[in-house]
Amino acid sequence: MQPTVTPNAYKILVVDDDPDIVELLEYNLRKEGYEVASAPDGRKALEVAPQFGPDIILLDVMMPHLDGIAACRQLRELPRFKDTYIIFLTARAEEFSEVAAFEAGADDFIAKPIKPRALLSRLAAFVRRDKDPQVQLDTIEINGLKIDRTGFAVFQEGRKITLPKKEFELLAFLAASPHKVFGRDELLQNIWGNDVFVLARTVDVHVRKVREKVGDHHIQTIKGVGYKFNTDN
């Protein structure tokens, strides 16, 4: 399907073999001002993507001809799409499917049935970060939390929450890239550094302590992969 044309709009490629889902997403995305194109399978997506140049790709996992996992891997091999925001859409609840999606290079993972408002909220958060990433360096406001990185302060619905330095750094690091899943080793390297010997279990302990103070729903466990900041309300 040919994309709509809106000046300076973010381009979104919808890839799904279910025409009803494609129609639903196209309608809601265009209503929000996004420029949209679609493809019915992974093989066609690899043809459309270089021509359309999407900023964001919504990619179904189970499709004919070429599934989403394989399509994502091939897209990531192209320099142009190395950093494109890719969200997997899937009805599959099996753990291995989610792990495989992130290993293939996905940035986020949304289970069907898709809730358009939740998807649009997630996309809007990405667009804000993409347009003005400098804002996120000092203050992060997401999912009811305000994280002041310069003042080492966390506020939830106006209430100040005191966190020790490493717990604060862990929360702020995850919240700064809410669309990305980080493995324990990556978190250890970014929060504790290479010069300090700590076990991977240290990350789990700190996540548990942060959850006790700010709520369980902010940090999501991706089994077999690591942790991500949850953007769902």
Side-chain angles (χ1 to χ4, degrees):
M1 182 176 291
Q2 290 298 314
T4 56
V5 178
T6 306
N8 302 319
Y10 274 68
K11 295 181 177 181
I12 300 181
L13 174 60
V14 178
V15 187
D16 199 302
D17 62 331
D18 186 332
D20 291 334
I21 290 177
V22 172
E23 183 179 358
L24 172 69
L25 293 177
E26 285 184 330
Y27 171 77
N28 282 278
L29 292 170
R30 287 183 174 136
K31 192 168 66 171
E32 291 296 311
Y34 294 106
E35 188 174 336
V36 187
S38 64
D41 56 64
R43 189 168 63 188
K44 188 64 176 178
L46 291 171
E47 298 176 9
V48 174
Q51 302 170 11
F52 181 53
D55 304 293
I56 301 167
I57 300 175
L58 304 181
L59 186 61
D60 186 30
V61 172
M62 298 299 294
M63 295 182 293
H65 306 305
L66 189 69
D67 66 36
I69 302 293
C72 184
R73 287 198 183 102
Q74 293 188 39
L75 285 166
R76 290 300 193 206
E77 290 174 358
L78 302 173
R80 184 176 183 182
F81 300 111
K82 184 176 180 294
D83 298 316
T84 300
Y85 187 36
I86 297 179
I87 301 177
F88 271 106
L89 311 174
T90 182
R92 300 186 64 178
E94 292 89 348
E95 177 183 315
F96 79 89
S97 177
E98 191 166 341
V99 173
F102 286 118
E103 288 180 344
D107 293 300
D108 210 339
F109 189 99
I110 296 180
K112 295 178 180 178
I114 299 164
K115 299 177 181 177
R117 289 183 63 184
L119 174 61
L120 292 171
S121 176
R122 199 169 302 191
L123 294 174
F126 166 77
V127 170
R128 285 195 300 271
R129 292 191 305 273
D130 189 56
K131 284 184 175 179
D132 193 4
Q134 188 65 35
V135 171
Q136 295 299 323
L137 294 178
D138 296 329
T139 303
I140 302 169
E141 293 191 52
I142 186 170
N143 204 4
L145 284 181
K146 179 179 179 180
I147 303 171
D148 179 359
R149 301 184 73 174
T150 57
F152 278 85
V154 177
F155 299 88
Q156 184 161 258
E157 308 299 341
R159 178 176 63 88
K160 186 174 182 179
I161 300 171
T162 301
L163 297 177
K165 187 171 185 292
K166 289 303 179 187
E167 291 176 24
F168 176 88
E169 290 177 350
L170 176 62
L171 177 64
F173 182 80
L174 290 169
S177 301
H179 61 284
K180 184 176 180 181
V181 179
F182 294 95
R184 289 174 178 81
D185 289 342
E186 193 172 0
L187 291 171
L188 284 173
Q189 183 175 348
N190 281 280
I191 306 301
W192 283 267
N194 295 321
D195 298 330
V196 180
F197 178 75
V198 288
L199 299 174
R201 177 65 178 161
T202 301
V203 174
D204 301 331
V205 172
H206 279 71
V207 167
R208 176 175 56 79
K209 290 180 178 179
V210 171
R211 283 171 169 164
E212 289 173 354
K213 294 167 184 174
V214 303
D216 292 340
H217 63 287
H218 291 295
I219 299 179
Q220 181 181 353
T221 300
I222 307 299
K223 292 183 179 179
V225 183
Y227 297 101
K228 64 172 286 190
F229 192 89
N230 185 21
T231 56
D232 293 334
N233 292 323

